[in-house]
Structures are given as structure tokens and as C-alpha cells.
């Protein structure tokens, strides 16, 4: 049986009276892309920070490639690469200059460092901008260079904390393709995101995190089975003059409807066989004299799983 | 080794920043130039030196010793000198040691007789000595007292030797002592006027022995360039110290911590960057001021180098300590700016701190600027040698060492959570 390359056991982190992480445990096998999916503030970054030896766990431990984050930080740091959520680069230094500096921080040097920097600039498509200052780069280019820094020392596990936040779709696509390619070459990736689509596309397994706890873990197929054949209906309503309580009470009475919530004019309904329930729901809307702005029916997906487990949308 | 990379990276980044360079190099040179021009013009400005505490111990029964007493008490010098008469030389010297007096002018018994007798023989004036005892911790005021005594002596000497009153020539030298000294020539002339002193009677010599350092005419650049250099060094070094908090905010410090580079190397590297930047800044200021203003940094390049290195070391340590204690980057900015200004004002970057007394003097001695300025002024104004600046060097080294160690501890606690 293959040994996990990363084992997190009952990780806790408390800041003052706030419990940011409350007992997270999971394993990652070599060659996997494992995603932690959850809304902002769920505890994903705190978990990655503990696994990076940036924060000491209040309780629990993790072993990466056999080394404990509690007592063997130096060994752990040597086998992990970290791509933080922020653009952690020096904007007034060139791309190559940044890579060379960070390479030295990983103990690299000489001709091998130069060669590795050139390879990585090529990998992330910045070879022709190697001398340009990072401050002249677009957001997507900065993100790609940010990833390259995490790969300098050829880590065994790469942590990527929300690496596509705040960039255009084209750059996002390029980053996702880079992650897939790196994984194809054998790199194990721990990926955090609040984008359900990214987790779905990239991951062999997904851990859903909410309020500092891992509330579900499995492959996408395993997770969607949790909600059965329940569809999610998203109905946009004009909030002006909307009698929310009255409408929700009516929708809950519609046959096949399992759960309904209304927030900021967005009616979220989970119903078994969503299309079949649609007629009844629209009738309720008409009866409440609400104005329907848009309507979408989603078949079971990770977002529905999150909604099913927490009663809230993933992007709440 | 990785600390060196971090330090060098910070230094390079700092020297690529044109705005930072303006603050580090252009501003101190410009302000030094303006102050130097202003203080170099007797008609335009007031000297910051005033009421130098001085005792006159006159054991001479003759008229010549009395001339010194009268000049030093003359109305023209009341703004500049706060002279008092004392009888006991030992007590007067003790008061210097206690910081109550900056200088004692001692006219020994038989001074006038010796002069007059010496004038008749071959050992012309060899036994006539006026001694000036000075406060070794003060820099400018002893120099001024010595200059005044020297001018009285020169005037007297000229009169005795040439048989004519030449004390008015003293006014030619008054520029070194600023406007408050402009009346010195007249004061000396009054005392040496034919009514008071019959110059035809004697052709006598005179020696002045000074216990303090003598030197060339006071050059305002020699004082203000080091003053401004230290003042702006504190600003830039303190600002540089904040870069560790900037890196924390911008995410590069957490990323550094996730690399296998030990925490101690990271913190040391950051402090090294501040130190290297400050050192380079100060060295460039020394070079530029020498080329632009002709500042003479003294006869001990090793002394200048030592005080420079230790001043930057102490400033870097203090900056790091203040930063390590600050809650965030903006709080650190406010604290270090305030400390820079207070240290500049108290520590003698704008005026000689040797004039301070009591609790203000004590507070001044707690600043890096004070010890740096004492060291530099000894070298530039007093022309001191290497050994003479060792006390200041020792204090700066101690400040640097203590603050560096405390900052290291503070940063470790802060970043290892």
C-alpha cells in the first residue's frame, strides 16, 4: 500500500479566543492533487500555514515525507514548495533577480541555480521578460512567477494557496494548465480554493472545509453522492417589496423541495428533480407578486454538496 | 551566508530607490550647505553658542593678569561667556569635572612680574604662562575660550613686542566665533589702550599653555556636516529597519520563513541590510562633504571609520529594537520618526550638546546622536587622534550590542508563532 506523503492529524490553531482550525485530519498520497475547498475564512490558509511551519499548531501534528512539522521544520521546509495567496515577490527587482534570490534562500547557487531559474521562467512563460521588474508585470504574470518561486528547489509537495485569486480568465486557465502539467510530471499538490470549478477540474480528492473543520472528504463523485439527485435552483428576484418570510414558507411547501433560503434577492432551492419542482416554485413567486429576474438549475455538484452540508452557498 | 544575501538584497533595493536616495544623501548635503553658508556669514546669523560657564583664577598681583580678568568679564562678551572669578584652582578644576564649568583660565602668581623680568633677559617670557583647563567632554565651548585667551595674549604680545596696540587686529579673527564675538577686538583694545597700559614701557613675550586641544579656525561644516549626516542616518536606518514589517505585510517575510533559511539568518540578514545601507550612506556623505565643502574629517581616518561604523551599528540596533516592539508598520513609522527628531534635537545634531546641563544633558547622553557627535566633533573640530575617541566608540558599541540582542529576541518572539 502506498504511504501518504502528507499526513495531517487533528490540527488545531487558536488565535486568542478564536479557533481558526478545529481538528483537521487528512492524508495526501504521492502524485495526488488534493484540494481544500471552502469559503473565505474557513481555515484553509491557516491549515497551509501550519503545514508550511509558518504557524505552530495549538494541537495536533502533521508529517510530510516522514518529517514532523513540530520538531523537524528544517527537513519539512526542504521538501515543500509554497505558493502563497499574496504575490510574495520583490516588485522592484527583475524576474530572474527574484528567482535567484529565492533560490539562494533554498540553498541553491552557482550555475545550477541559473539553469533552474531559466527552466522555470520558460515553464511559466516569462523567459522573454526575465530582466524586467516585477512591478511592470500584469497580475497573471506575477502569479506565474509566484508559482515559479515555489518550484525552485524541486519540492516533493507543492502547496498552492488560492493561486488564481484576482486574475483574468486567460491567466487563470494558464495557471490551472501549469498545475495539471506539474502534477503529470509527478508533483504532489495541495491546492486551496473557494472556486468549486477549480477543485472539480484539478483534484483527485477534495476536502471541504468550513468553520475550521473538515466537513467532507472524498473524490468529486463520492462527494456529490452525498446530495443524491438533488438539483440546486438559483432564482434571482427583485428585492423591492419582497415578502421574504411569506415566500419562503410557500416554497417550502412545494413538493420535492428539501431546502430553501433567500438572501439579497437570491432564492436558493434544493429539490429532488429540480425541473419538476420548478412549476410550483414559480407559482409561489407569482403569488407573492415578486418579480423574477433570472433562473438557473444546477445538477448535483460540489457547490450543492457544500449547500447540502452547511445550508449556505460556497461564496457566502 | 544567507543573511548576507538578504542584507545585500535590501541594500541594493534601497539604493535603487531615488526617493530614498534623496533623503539619504541629497537632503543632508543640501541642509549642511545652507547651514554652513548661514553660519559662515557673521552679519546674517546668531551663533548657537552662549553663556559658556567659565572661571577665571587670577593669582597674579600685577596689571597684566588683570587684563585677562577684565576682558573675560567685559560687557561685549557677556552673551558669550558667563565668567566668574575663583581663588582656588583645584576647586575650579573639580567644577569642570562635575560639569558645572566648561573651562578655567588660570593666571599664575607672578605672571606680570615674570613677563616684565623676562623681557629684560634672554629667557624672554618663558615663565609667563596662562593656562586654560577645559572640559574634555565638551567640544566647541573650550575651543572658543581658548581662542579668546589666545587673542588676548596675541593682542598683549603684539603690544609688548611691537610697542604698539595691535589688539584691534583681533577683530580679523572674530569670524571664527560668530557675531557674539565681534566685540572681542574692541574689548581687548580697550584694555590695551594707552590709558590702561603703557606699551612704551615694555617689550615682553608671552606663552599660553592650553590643557585642551588647540586647532585651526572653527569651520561650521566640520560641525554641521557630521550633525546632519548623523541626523539623516537615523532617519534612513530607522526607515530601513521597518522593512522587516513591510515584508511581513507584503508576504515576502512569511515566504522567507517557509524556506529552509533559519529564522536567525533571516532576522540577521534584515538587520545587516539596514547596517550596510547606513554604512554606505555615511561613507558617501563623508566623501561628498570632503569634495563639495572641503570638510576636514580630522587626522585620524581610522577614528572616523570607527565612529562611523559604530554609529551605524548603534542606529541599526536601535531601529531594529523599536521596530520589533512596534505593533505594525505604521506604528513603527510614527515611533521611529519621533525618535529620530528627538534624538536629533537632544543629541547635538543641530547645536553642540556640550552646552546642555542637568536632566537635559543626561537625556542627551542616552542618544546615539550625542555619542556620535562627540566622537565626530572631537575628530573634525578638535583634531583628536584615534585613542581619544575610544570612549565614544565604546558607548556606541555598547548601545549597538544591547539593542541588537534585544531586537533579535523581539523579532524571534514576533515571527515564530
Amino acid at each position: 500500500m502506498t504511504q501518504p506523503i502528507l499526513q495531517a492529524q487533528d490540527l488545531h490553531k487558536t488565535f486568542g479566543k478564536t479557533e481558526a482550525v478545529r481538528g483537521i485530519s487528512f492524508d495526501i498520497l504521492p502524485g495526488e492533487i488534493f484540494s481544500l475547498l471552502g469559503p473565505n475564512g474557513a481555515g484553509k490558509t491557516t491549515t497551509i500555514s501550519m503545514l508550511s511551519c509558518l504557524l505552530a499548531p495549538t494541537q495536533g501534528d502533521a508529517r510530510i515525507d516522514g518529517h514532523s512539522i513540530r520538531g523537524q521544520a528544517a527537513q519539512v521546509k526542504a521538501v515543500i514548495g509554497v505558493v502563497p495567496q499574496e504575490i510574495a515577490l520583490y516588485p522592484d527587482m527583475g524576474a530572474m533577480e527574484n528567482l535567484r534570490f529565492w533560490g539562494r534562500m533554498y540553498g541553491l547557487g552557482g550555475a545550477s541555480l541559473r539553469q533552474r531559474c531559466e527552466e522555470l521562467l520558460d515553464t511559466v512563460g516569462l523567459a522573454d521578460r526575465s530582466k524586467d521588474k516585477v512591478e511592470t508585470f500584469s497580475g497573471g504574470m506575477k502569479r506565474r512567477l509566484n508559482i515559479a518561486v515555489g518550484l525552485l528547489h524541486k519540492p516533493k509537495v507543492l502547496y498552492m494557496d488560492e493561486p488564481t485569486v484576482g486574475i483574468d480568465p486567460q491567466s487563470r486557465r494558464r495557471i490551472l494548465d501549469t498545475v495539471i502539467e506539474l502534477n503529470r510530471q509527478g508533483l504532489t499538490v495541495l491546492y486551496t480554493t473557494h472556486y468549486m470549478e477549480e477543485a472539480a477540474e484539478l483534484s483527485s480528492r477534495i476536502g471541504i472545509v468550513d468553520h475550521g473543520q473538515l466537513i467532507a472528504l472524498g473524490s468529486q463523485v463520492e462527494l456529490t453522492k452525498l446530495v443524491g439527485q438533488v438539483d440546486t435552483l438559483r432564482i434571482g428576484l427583485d428585492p423591492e417589496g419582497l415578502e421574504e418570510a411569506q415566500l419562503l414558507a410557500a416554497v417550502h411547501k412545494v413538493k420535492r423541495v428539501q431546502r430553501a433560503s433567500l438572501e439579497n434577492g437570491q432564492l436558493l432551492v434544493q429539490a429532488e428533480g429540480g425541473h419538476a419542482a420548478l412549476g410550483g416554485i414559480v407559482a409561489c413567486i407569482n403569488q407573492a407578486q415578486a418579480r423574477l429576474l433570472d433562473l438557473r438549475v444546477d445538477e448535483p455538484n460540489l457547490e450543492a454538496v457544500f449547500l447540502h452540508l452547511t445550508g449556505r452557498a460556497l461564496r457566502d | 551566508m544567507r543573511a548576507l544575501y538578504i542584507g545585500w538584497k535590501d541594500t541594493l533595493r534601497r539604493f535603487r530607490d531615488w526617493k530614498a536616495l534623496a533623503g539619504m544623501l541629497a537632503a543632508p548635503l543640501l541642509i549642511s550647505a545652507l547651514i554652513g553658508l548661514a553660519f559662515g556669514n557673521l552679519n546674517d546669523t546668531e551663533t548657537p553658542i552662549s553663556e559658556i560657564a567659565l572661571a577665571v583664577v587670577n593669582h597674579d598681583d600685577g596689571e597684566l593678569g588683570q587684563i585677562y580678568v577684565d576682558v573675560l568679564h567685559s560687557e561685549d562678551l557677556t552673551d558669550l561667556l558667563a565668567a566668574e572669578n575663583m581663588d582656588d584652582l583645584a576647586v575650579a578644576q573639580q567644577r569642570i569635572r562635575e560639569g558645572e564649568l566648561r573651562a578655567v583660565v588660570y593666571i599664575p602668581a607672578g605672571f606680570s612680574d615674570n613677563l616684565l623680568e623676562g623681557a629684560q633677559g634672554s629667557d624672554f617670557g618663558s615663565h609667563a604662562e596662562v593656562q586654560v583647563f577645559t572640559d574634555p567632554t565638551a567640544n566647541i565651548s573650550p575651543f572658543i575660550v581658548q581662542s579668546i585667551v589666545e587673542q588676548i595674549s596675541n593682542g598683549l604680545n603684539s603690544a609688548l613686542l611691537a610697542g604698539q596696540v595691535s589688539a584691534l587686529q583681533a577683530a580679523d579673527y572674530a569670524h571664527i566665533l560668530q557675531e557674539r564675538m565681534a566685540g572681542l577686538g574692541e574689548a581687548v583694545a580697550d584694555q590695551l589702550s594707552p590709558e590702561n597700559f603703557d606699551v612704551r614701557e615694555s617689550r615682553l613675550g608671552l606663552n599660553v599653555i592650553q590643557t585642551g586641544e588647540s586647532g585651526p579656525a572653527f569651520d561650521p561644516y566640520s560641525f554641521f556636516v557630521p550633525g546632519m549626516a548623523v541626523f539623516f542616518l537615523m532617519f534612513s536606518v530607522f526607515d530601513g529597519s521597518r522593512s522587516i514589517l513591510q515584508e511581513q505585510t507584503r508576504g515576502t517575510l512569511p515566504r522567507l520563513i517557509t524556506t529552509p533559511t533559519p529564522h536567525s539568518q533571516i532576522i540577521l540578514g534584515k538587520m545587516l541590510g539596514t547596517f550596510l545601507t547606513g554604512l554606505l550612506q555615511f561613507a558617501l556623505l563623508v566623501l561628498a562633504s570632503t569634495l563639495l565643502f572641503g570638510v576636514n574629517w580630522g587626522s585620524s581616518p581610522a577614528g572616523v571609520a570607527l565612529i562611523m561604523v559604530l554609529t551605524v551599528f548603534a542606529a541599526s540596533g536601535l531601529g531594529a529594537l523599536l521596530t520589533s516592539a512596534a505593533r505594525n508598520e505604521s506604528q513603527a513609522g510614527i515611533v521611529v520618526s519621533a525618535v529620530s527628531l528627538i534624538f536629533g534635537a537632544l543629541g547635538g545634531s543641530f547645536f553642540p550638546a556640550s552646552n546642555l546641563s542637568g536632566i537635559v544633558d543626561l537625556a542627551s547622553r542616552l542618544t546615539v546622536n550625542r555619542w556620535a557627535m562627540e566622537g565626530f566633533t572631537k575628530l573634525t573640530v578638535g583634531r583628536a587622534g584615534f585613542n581619544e575617541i575610544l570612549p565614544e566608540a565604546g558607548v556606541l558599541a555598547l548601545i549597538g550590542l544591547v539593542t541588537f540582542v534585544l531586537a533579535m529576541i523581539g523579532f524571534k518572539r514576533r515571527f515564530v508563532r
Side-chain angles (χ1 to χ4, degrees):
Chain A
M1 188 181 158
T2 312
Q3 286 292 310
I5 194 162
L6 188 152
Q7 293 173 287
Q9 297 156 346
D10 194 30
L11 287 175
H12 284 74
K13 185 64 190 178
T14 306
F15 298 106
K17 289 179 180 173
T18 308
E19 270 192 289
V21 173
R22 302 187 290 169
I24 284 185
S25 302
F26 60 91
D27 293 346
I28 302 178
L29 297 173
E32 262 196 312
I33 298 180
F34 182 93
S35 289
L36 287 175
L37 175 69
N40 291 329
K44 306 184 299 290
T45 299
T46 306
T47 303
I48 275 210
S49 296
M50 286 190 280
L51 295 173
S52 311
C53 305
L54 191 57
L55 292 175
T58 311
Q59 189 185 316
D61 195 5
R63 299 188 84 81
I64 295 120
D65 201 30
H67 308 296
S68 164
I69 58 169
R70 281 193 172 276
Q72 297 169 297
Q75 291 92 325
V76 169
K77 288 174 180 182
V79 297
I80 62 166
V82 181
V83 180
Q85 196 170 333
E86 306 89 8
I87 307 290
L89 302 166
Y90 298 104
D92 49 355
M93 287 164 57
M96 174 63 94
E97 209 178 0
N98 261 285
L99 286 177
R100 286 172 72 89
F101 170 75
W102 287 107
R104 288 190 175 110
M105 294 302 104
Y106 282 106
L108 309 175
S112 62
L113 173 60
R114 182 161 199 92
Q115 191 185 343
R116 182 67 181 149
C117 293
E118 283 167 359
E119 271 173 29
L120 285 169
L121 283 172
D122 199 41
T123 302
V124 297
L126 292 172
D128 57 336
R129 302 288 303 267
S130 66
K131 288 181 181 169
D132 293 354
K133 285 185 179 177
V134 171
E135 64 196 2
T136 65
F137 287 4
S138 67
M141 290 161 79
K142 288 176 187 170
R143 287 261 168 219
R144 274 143 52 197
L145 188 63
N146 209 31
I147 293 171
V149 170
L151 296 167
L152 274 162
H153 59 306
K154 299 184 179 173
K156 289 186 177 177
V157 187
L158 183 67
Y159 302 164
M160 303 183 85
D161 190 10
E162 307 248 18
T164 59
V165 167
I167 54 170
D168 60 275
Q170 197 181 353
S171 298
R172 187 182 181 192
R173 184 67 257 160
R174 188 160 189 163
I175 287 173
L176 295 181
D177 288 343
T178 305
V179 177
I180 292 167
E181 176 56 25
L182 290 168
N183 179 248
R184 197 187 58 75
Q185 292 169 12
L187 185 66
T188 306
V189 179
L190 169 58
Y191 193 95
T192 78
T193 183
H194 63 271
Y195 296 126
M196 177 265 298
E197 306 84 358
E198 288 184 6
E201 180 185 343
L202 295 174
S203 320
S204 28
R205 286 188 307 137
I206 299 157
I208 298 179
V209 187
D210 190 41
H211 292 309
Q213 288 181 304
L214 197 66
I215 56 173
L217 176 64
S219 66
Q220 191 181 355
V221 174
E222 288 166 342
L223 290 172
T224 48
K225 275 183 185 169
L226 291 173
V227 290
Q229 283 306 305
V230 176
D231 296 329
T232 304
L233 288 81
R234 297 169 186 281
I235 302 162
L237 300 171
D238 185 352
E240 199 174 323
L242 189 63
E243 295 289 342
E244 294 190 1
Q246 192 184 339
L247 176 61
L248 271 180
V251 169
H252 271 119
K253 288 177 186 166
V254 174
K255 198 176 174 186
R256 294 171 183 268
V257 169
Q258 293 185 346
R259 192 194 289 263
S261 64
L262 181 56
E263 204 170 309
N264 300 326
Q266 178 81 7
L267 179 63
L268 274 177
V269 182
Q270 286 199 297
E272 199 176 334
H275 290 94
L278 195 56
I281 295 167
V282 171
C284 293
I285 292 168
N286 288 334
Q287 200 175 353
Q289 295 185 326
R291 202 158 73 90
L292 197 150
L293 300 176
D294 64 73
L295 189 152
R296 201 176 89 204
V297 180
D298 292 334
E299 290 183 353
N301 58 21
L302 292 172
E303 180 114 25
V305 175
F306 190 83
L307 188 65
H308 175 75
L309 294 171
T310 66
R312 290 177 288 113
L314 192 54
R315 291 187 181 87
D316 281 358
Chain B
M1 188 62 179
R2 291 182 201 179
L4 276 178
Y5 287 127
I6 295 170
W8 185 240
K9 178 263 297 173
D10 280 2
T11 307
L12 280 180
R13 291 184 68 208
R14 194 87 173 144
F15 274 85
R16 282 176 186 171
D17 181 350
W18 286 104
K19 281 184 196 166
L21 279 183
M24 287 160 61
L25 300 174
L29 288 173
L30 189 66
I31 294 174
S32 295
L34 291 173
I35 295 176
L37 286 171
F39 277 79
N41 187 338
L42 290 174
N43 298 321
D44 292 342
T45 185
E46 287 286 309
T47 173
I49 310 286
S50 64
E51 296 186 352
I52 299 166
L54 162 78
V56 186
V57 180
N58 182 16
H59 289 176
D60 180 38
D61 295 329
E63 289 179 342
L64 299 183
Q66 189 57 39
I67 287 174
Y68 286 88
V69 177
D70 293 344
V71 171
L72 292 169
H73 283 280
S74 68
E75 236 176 69
D76 293 322
L77 294 176
T78 48
D79 283 351
L80 184 65
L81 303 177
E84 58 178 297
N85 292 332
M86 289 183 70
D87 292 329
D88 192 329
L89 179 61
V91 173
Q93 286 174 315
Q94 179 60 30
R95 287 184 63 192
I96 289 182
R97 283 190 285 274
E98 288 168 358
E100 291 175 19
L101 295 174
R102 294 289 176 221
V104 171
V105 177
Y106 173 59
I107 303 141
F111 174 74
S112 296
D113 291 342
N114 282 340
L115 270 179
L116 294 169
E117 285 167 16
Q120 310 303 317
S122 56
D123 55 344
F124 182 75
S126 61
H127 299 297
E129 295 175 350
V130 170
Q131 295 184 16
V132 180
F133 298 91
T134 59
D135 178 357
T137 64
N139 300 300
I140 307 296
S141 46
F143 176 76
I144 290 172
V145 174
Q146 286 166 21
S147 299
I148 294 170
V149 173
E150 222 170 46
Q151 288 185 52
I152 299 169
S153 303
N154 287 341
L156 185 57
N157 202 24
S158 301
L160 294 170
L161 289 171
Q164 57 185 345
V165 177
S166 58
L168 283 171
Q169 292 169 0
D172 293 341
Y173 300 97
H175 69 277
I176 64 171
L177 302 169
Q178 317 303 342
E179 195 177 13
R180 288 169 197 268
M181 280 294 291
L184 177 65
E186 289 90 316
V188 174
D190 285 347
Q191 295 304 320
L192 299 182
S193 64
E195 294 81 41
N196 294 330
F197 185 76
D198 187 353
V199 296
R200 288 165 299 182
E201 285 179 5
S202 319
R203 293 170 60 85
L204 300 171
L206 179 70
N207 285 333
V208 176
I209 292 181
Q210 300 166 342
T211 55
E213 289 298 318
S214 63
F218 177 66
D219 171 14
Y221 287 116
S222 298
F223 175 77
F224 287 112
V225 168
M228 287 301 106
V230 172
F231 180 67
F232 280 93
L233 172 82
M234 299 298 283
F235 264 104
S236 65
V237 162
F238 283 5
D239 195 46
S241 302
R242 284 197 303 144
S243 75
I244 196 163
L245 298 184
Q246 283 167 354
E247 290 218 35
Q248 188 183 26
T249 310
R250 291 166 198 180
T252 44
L253 183 70
R255 181 169 228 168
L256 273 171
I257 295 172
T258 65
T259 68
T261 303
H263 295 138
S264 53
Q265 290 269 315
I266 295 170
I267 297 166
L268 192 65
K270 293 300 298 176
M271 296 207 266
L272 190 64
T274 310
F275 175 77
L276 285 176
T277 304
L279 196 59
L280 210 50
Q281 174 194 0
F282 214 110
L284 287 171
L285 284 174
V286 170
L287 187 69
S289 63
T290 308
L291 296 174
L292 293 175
F293 309 132
V295 172
N296 187 339
W297 287 83
S299 53
S300 172
V304 173
L306 182 69
I307 292 290
M308 183 171 76
V309 167
L310 291 174
T311 299
V312 178
F313 176 56
S316 306
L318 185 65
L321 179 62
L322 293 171
T323 305
S324 72
R327 194 174 297 162
N328 52 43
E329 192 188 334
S330 62
Q331 191 191 54
I334 294 165
V335 170
V336 296
S337 298
V339 171
S340 301
L341 288 169
I342 293 167
F343 272 34
L346 271 179
S349 284
F350 307 108
F351 59 88
S354 52
N355 272 6
L356 299 173
S357 60
I359 195 159
V360 183
D361 182 51
L362 185 67
S364 168
R365 287 178 190 280
L366 295 175
T367 67
V368 173
N369 303 50
R370 172 68 180 262
W371 295 100
M373 285 308 296
E374 299 251 323
F376 281 123
T377 314
K378 272 187 179 178
L379 291 162
T380 58
V381 179
R383 300 291 184 259
F386 184 82
N387 290 339
E388 289 160 84
I389 50 90
L390 289 179
E392 287 79 10
V395 174
L396 288 169
L398 187 68
I399 294 173
L401 204 62
V402 170
T403 50
F404 256 91
V405 170
L406 291 176
M408 284 286 279
I409 294 167
F411 279 131
K412 272 218 156 192
R413 280 189 184 161
R414 185 183 187 117
F415 297 126
V416 183
R417 294 183 293 168

